[in-house]
């Protein structure tokens, strides 16, 4: 059984940067926490907890003078302001691409545009991006959502960094069809597009796909969705222990990919487990 690992599986630039900053801060000791999970990987969050860095959801839970690490997805503007007021030492691990989306929303609002954010309204990245608007702001997940919005003379569009280009294009087309001035910022991270395109190609060449990453990771869930549309024999897992040997019955080629928040050691454990299952079958 051939196991094919996607070339760009695992950590993207923003996540790699965030985890480096988090583990570096953890190694210095002292009262340190993350404001929300540093990335959407339960295993990485657990390793930080083992180093004494816990994840909290509210600035009010943090002792004055402690170190707070801002997660890769970013936080709401008011949360960052609260951390400054609380005299916390701030390690800002917000992904630079997310930071750019936040800045675009702030600029659009300041220049009198109503803002449309393409993404998942309950996702922490989107909640943070929205908070930088000082005027009207709407979150949409499809072109049909746009049709339900009020008329706007000036619209500014940004996207959650892990959205697909097809999705953004659908929403932009719906915005343009409503008339009015429309300014669009493509804030989708290149790493997202590369992983999605690579995954589509791989899923069309194998008999079974394994997608590794947190069940709470939006970009990993999207990779799994892309695979299932092309190959129903797709399995989304968080760790090697969740693999069922029965998945590989009659399989000649297995494709493996991973979300942008999945560490290399987890990917290695999964590929090793699949290889071990194959050896057991042969034996």
């Amino acid at each position: 059984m051939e196991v094919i690992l996607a070339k760009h599986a695992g950590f993207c630039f923003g996540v790699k940067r965030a985890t480096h900053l988090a583990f570096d801060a953890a190694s210095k000791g002292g009262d340190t926490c993350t404001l929300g999970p540093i990335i959407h990987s339960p295993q990485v969050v657990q390793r930080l907890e083992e180093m004494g860095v816990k994840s909290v959801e509210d600035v009010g839970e943090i002792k004055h003078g402690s170190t707070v690490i801002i997660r890769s997805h970013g936080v709401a503007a008011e949360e960052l302001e609260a951390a400054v007021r609380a005299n916390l030492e701030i390690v800002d691990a917000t992904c630079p691409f997310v930071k750019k989306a936040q800045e675009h929303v702030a600029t659009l609002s300041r220049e009198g545009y109503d803002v449309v954010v393409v993404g998942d309204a309950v996702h922490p990245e989107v909640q943070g991006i929205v908070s930088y608007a000082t005027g009207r702001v709407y979150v949409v997940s499809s072109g049909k959502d746009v049709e339900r919005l009020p008329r706007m003379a000036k619209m500014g569009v940004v996207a959650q960094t892990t959205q697909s280009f097809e999705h953004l294009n659908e929403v932009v087309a719906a915005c343009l069809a409503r008339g009015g001035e429309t300014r669009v910022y493509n804030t989708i991270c290149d790493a997202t597009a590369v992983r999605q395109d690579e995954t589509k190609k791989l899923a069309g060449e194998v008999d079974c796909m394994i997608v590794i990453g947190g069940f709470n990771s939006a970009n990993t869930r999207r990779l799994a969705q892309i695979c299932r549309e092309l190959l129903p024999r797709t399995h989304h897992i968080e760790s090697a222990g969740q693999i069922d040997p029965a998945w590989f019955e009659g399989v000649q080629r297995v494709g493996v990919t991973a979300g942008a928040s999945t560490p290399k050691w987890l990917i290695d454990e999964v590929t090793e487990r699949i290889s071990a299952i194959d050896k057991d079958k042969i034996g």
Side-chain angles (χ1 to χ4, degrees):
M1 187 167 64
E2 184 181 4
V3 181
I4 305 171
L5 176 63
K7 182 180 178 182
H8 293 95
F11 279 1
C12 63
F13 161 75
V15 168
K16 189 179 295 184
R17 172 181 174 273
T19 53
H20 173 77
L21 288 171
F23 282 104
D24 183 60
S27 67
K28 295 176 181 176
D31 289 324
T32 305
C33 62
T34 62
L35 194 51
I38 185 66
I39 61 173
H40 278 161
S41 169
Q43 293 76 20
V44 170
V45 171
Q46 183 180 340
R47 286 202 171 184
L48 281 170
E49 287 179 349
E50 290 167 356
M51 295 177 70
V53 179
K54 66 178 181 177
S55 171
V56 301
E57 295 299 326
D58 191 278
V59 173
E61 300 177 49
I62 308 171
K63 295 178 185 177
H64 284 251
S66 298
T67 297
V68 60
I69 307 167
I70 306 301
R71 63 189 170 201
S72 63
H73 295 107
V75 296
E78 54 269 23
E79 290 180 295
L80 198 54
E81 291 164 5
V84 172
R85 288 195 303 271
N87 194 34
L88 302 176
E89 182 178 339
I90 299 170
V91 176
D92 193 351
T94 305
C95 169
F97 292 100
V98 174
K99 184 77 77 175
K100 184 59 69 176
Q102 294 172 347
E103 292 169 357
H104 284 320
V105 167
T107 300
L108 286 165
S109 281
R110 194 164 54 245
E111 295 180 357
Y113 289 81
D114 293 324
V115 178
V116 176
V117 180
V118 185
D120 178 357
V122 300
H123 193 281
E125 178 191 325
V126 174
Q127 292 173 339
I129 290 171
V130 164
S131 73
Y132 285 82
T134 51
R136 293 197 299 180
V137 59
Y138 307 93
V139 179
V140 301
S141 60
S142 68
K144 289 191 178 297
D145 287 346
V146 174
E147 295 169 9
R148 292 190 282 269
L149 298 180
R151 288 285 176 181
M152 293 173 265
K154 296 172 68 177
M155 282 185 286
V157 183
V158 302
Q160 182 179 357
T161 59
T162 53
Q163 288 290 304
S164 67
F165 285 114
E166 292 84 359
H167 209 176
L168 175 60
N169 286 337
E170 176 194 339
V171 170
V172 170
C175 288
L176 291 172
R178 292 174 65 83
E181 180 185 343
T182 304
R183 184 186 294 184
V184 180
Y185 286 106
N186 176 9
T187 50
I188 296 173
C189 172
D190 286 346
T192 296
V194 168
R195 279 164 175 73
Q196 290 176 356
D197 289 344
E198 195 174 69
T199 294
K200 287 177 187 175
K201 184 174 184 298
L202 183 56
E205 298 172 347
V206 297
D207 306 307
C208 174
M209 279 294 298
I210 303 296
V211 182
I212 317 163
F215 296 137
N216 61 342
S217 166
N219 75 86
T220 305
R221 290 200 307 270
R222 196 159 287 114
L223 288 179
Q225 179 185 358
I226 288 169
C227 288
R228 288 194 186 100
E229 289 172 356
L230 297 167
L231 183 65
R233 206 167 180 174
T234 293
H235 306 279
H236 177 183
I237 62 172
E238 284 191 343
S239 64
Q242 295 165 345
I243 293 175
D244 183 346
W247 295 344
F248 308 107
E249 290 297 328
V251 170
Q252 297 298 315
R253 307 181 87 204
V254 182
V256 178
T257 190
S261 296
T262 309
K264 184 178 183 300
W265 57 268
L266 269 179
I267 298 171
D268 289 343
E269 287 180 359
V270 168
T271 56
E272 288 166 9
R273 172 66 178 141
I274 295 172
S275 296
I277 289 170
D278 188 40
K279 288 177 182 175
D280 288 343
K281 283 164 58 180
I282 294 171

